[in-house]
């Protein structure tokens, strides 16, 4: 079995080197063939001259992008490149900072044995972030479930069979939201329990603004569900406040309108034509092992 591990990265080479060492240790005593593709999202920091001696990897490649395009589009670009250029059975996207735990890679792969064509996703049962982030994440899940009807409890850390990759690279939502696109194209998934790891070095680079855009990007994949449910809410709410209409009671309706506008604006990030041209942003692909 050939496994490709896809790692998007921006200025976090120190974490990457430690991650590679940890993955190499975790996949010891397996008969599967592992290889690494790092998508360098226009990092300002220089690529390290030396990489750890990772004997269990068949190869380590670094795809250097000309322009910074963001986490989701890095993964999308990497998936398209792998599909078009490599031989593989499964792709495992994961972050470079240690929050996706290498210890869980074997769990992901083992679950594929129950159904070779279904994606395996990591559903977080324990998180390592602060209270504010956990609270924001709770509201994100609540709003997503309420307005889309989807319970999306996973991120990028997944194990994707080739049949799913084929669908992903033909789905415009992949260019904007990985987890949203995967939920759209694959209703059935295999879930494994996962703990959010702690970062190897430094604080999280996820700002509050980026967190909101990330949340809206997932929700916008199902924008018509959002619109339909919002309209239903309008009618029910207006019926309930019919005799008590005031500036105050109309505030929830204004918030729903703003929310829908934001969702439809963010949905413009989905662009299949730009996705198909993503290879034009690849500067080069270097083999370091």
């Amino acid at each position: 079995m050939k496994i490709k591990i896809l790692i998007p990265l921006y200025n976090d080479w120190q974490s990457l080197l430690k991650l590679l060492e940890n993955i190499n240790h975790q996949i010891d005593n397996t008969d599967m063939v592992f290889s690494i593709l790092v998508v360098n999202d226009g990092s300002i920091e220089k690529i390290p001259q030396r990489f750890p001696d990772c004997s269990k990897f068949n190869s380590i490649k670094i795809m250097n992008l000309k322009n910074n395009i963001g986490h989701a589009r890095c993964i999308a670009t990497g998936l398209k490149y792998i599909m078009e250029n490599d031989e593989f059975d499964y792709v495992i996207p994961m972050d470079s900072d240690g929050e996706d735990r290498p210890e869980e890679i074997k769990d992901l792969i083992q679950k594929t044995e129950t159904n070779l064509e279904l994606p395996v996703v990591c559903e977080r049962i324990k998180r390592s972030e602060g209270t504010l982030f956990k609270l924001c994440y709770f509201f994100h899940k609540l709003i997503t479930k309420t307005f889309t009807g989807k319970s999306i409890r996973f991120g990028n850390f997944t194990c994707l069979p080739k049949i799913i990759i084929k669908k992903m690279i033909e789905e415009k939502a992949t260019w904007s939201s990985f987890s949203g696109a995967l939920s759209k194209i694959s209703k059935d998934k295999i879930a494994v329990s996962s703990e959010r790891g702690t970062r190897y070095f430094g604080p999280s680079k996820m700002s509050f603004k980026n967190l909101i855009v990330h949340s809206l990007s997932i929700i916008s994949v199902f924008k018509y569900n959002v619109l339909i449910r919002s309209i239903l809410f309008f009618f029910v709410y207006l019926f309930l406040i019919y005799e008590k209409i005031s500036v105050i009671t109309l505030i929830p309706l204004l918030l729903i309108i703003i929310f829908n506008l934001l969702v439809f604006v963010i949905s413009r990030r989905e662009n299949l034509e730009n996705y198909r041209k993503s290879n034009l942003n690849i500067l080069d692909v270097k083999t370091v092992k």
Side-chain angles (χ1 to χ4, degrees):
M1 185 183 294
K2 296 179 180 179
I3 312 292
K4 300 285 294 189
I5 298 180
L6 172 60
I7 305 172
L9 178 140
Y10 178 73
N11 287 344
D12 204 3
W13 298 103
Q14 186 180 16
S15 292
L16 173 69
L17 299 184
K18 184 171 182 178
L19 176 68
L20 294 179
E21 288 182 339
N22 289 344
I23 296 175
N24 187 70
H25 175 71
Q26 291 297 326
I27 63 176
D28 198 9
N29 299 320
T30 65
D31 57 358
M32 290 168 281
V33 179
F34 285 85
S35 56
I36 303 288
L37 177 65
V38 178
V39 182
N40 175 20
D41 192 17
S43 295
I44 299 174
E45 297 177 0
K46 292 183 178 180
I47 300 174
Q49 296 297 317
R50 293 184 179 181
F51 277 72
D53 182 18
C54 298
S55 59
K56 300 302 176 181
F57 298 137
N58 184 57
S59 68
I60 301 175
K61 294 182 180 180
I62 298 177
M63 174 194 293
N64 295 302
L65 302 184
K66 298 175 184 177
N67 302 301
N68 180 278
I69 56 177
H71 202 77
R73 291 177 177 176
C74 273
I75 294 176
T77 302
L79 291 177
K80 187 173 185 295
Y81 176 86
I82 290 170
M83 189 69 216
E84 295 175 349
N85 296 277
D86 293 329
E87 293 183 7
F88 70 98
D89 297 301
Y90 292 91
V91 175
I92 299 178
M94 66 185 301
D95 292 342
S96 64
D97 55 14
E99 292 185 344
D100 292 334
R101 301 167 67 234
E103 298 93 313
E104 296 174 352
I105 290 177
K106 288 183 180 179
D107 295 335
L108 285 171
I109 296 171
Q110 287 174 357
K111 283 293 184 179
T112 63
E113 297 174 1
T114 60
N115 193 316
L116 300 177
E117 295 187 351
L118 285 182
V120 183
V121 301
C122 285
E123 292 190 346
R124 305 297 184 190
I125 59 171
K126 184 178 179 181
R127 306 190 68 90
S128 61
E129 298 92 344
T131 303
L132 179 60
F133 185 94
K134 290 179 181 178
L135 183 63
C136 291
Y137 185 71
F138 168 77
F139 282 113
H140 156 69
K141 290 193 298 182
L142 180 63
I143 292 171
T144 301
K145 178 65 175 179
T146 301
F147 285 95
T148 70
K150 306 288 182 180
S151 179
I152 303 176
R153 301 175 56 193
F154 62 90
N156 306 321
F157 195 24
T158 56
C159 186
L160 308 177
K162 182 176 289 188
I163 190 172
I164 295 296
I165 302 296
K166 288 180 180 178
K167 294 178 181 179
M168 290 284 285
I169 65 173
E170 289 300 325
E171 169 55 53
K172 66 178 181 178
T174 306
W175 192 235
S176 178
S177 170
F178 173 86
S179 54
L182 183 56
S183 294
K184 181 179 180 180
I185 68 170
S186 181
K187 296 181 180 180
D188 296 321
K189 292 172 282 291
I190 302 170
V192 297
S193 298
S194 171
E195 293 185 14
R196 191 72 167 175
T198 54
R199 289 180 58 85
Y200 292 141
F201 305 100
S204 173
K205 298 178 181 178
M206 175 68 81
S207 66
F208 186 70
K209 175 185 175 182
N210 290 338
L211 182 62
I212 292 176
V213 172
H214 172 71
S215 178
L216 289 173
S217 296
I218 295 173
I219 294 171
S220 68
V221 176
F222 309 97
K223 60 185 177 183
Y224 294 113
N225 290 18
V226 175
L227 181 60
I228 292 171
R229 289 177 178 236
S230 297
I231 292 173
L232 291 175
F233 174 83
F234 255 75
F235 282 114
V236 172
Y237 187 74
L238 284 173
F239 176 78
L240 293 175
I241 67 166
Y242 178 71
E243 296 180 353
K244 298 180 180 180
I245 292 180
S246 67
V247 174
I248 300 299
T249 57
L250 288 176
I251 289 177
L253 297 183
L254 177 61
L255 293 176
I256 292 296
I257 291 173
I258 294 173
F259 174 66
N260 274 264
L261 287 174
L262 288 173
V263 166
F264 274 80
V265 168
I266 291 294
S267 71
R268 296 173 64 184
R269 288 161 49 94
E270 302 174 8
N271 191 310
L272 188 57
E273 182 179 355
N274 286 349
Y275 186 17
R276 288 173 175 168
K277 294 179 180 178
S278 60
N279 61 303
L280 298 178
N281 191 39
I282 300 174
L283 177 64
D284 55 40
V285 180
K286 295 183 177 180
T287 300
V288 297
K289 179 187 182 301

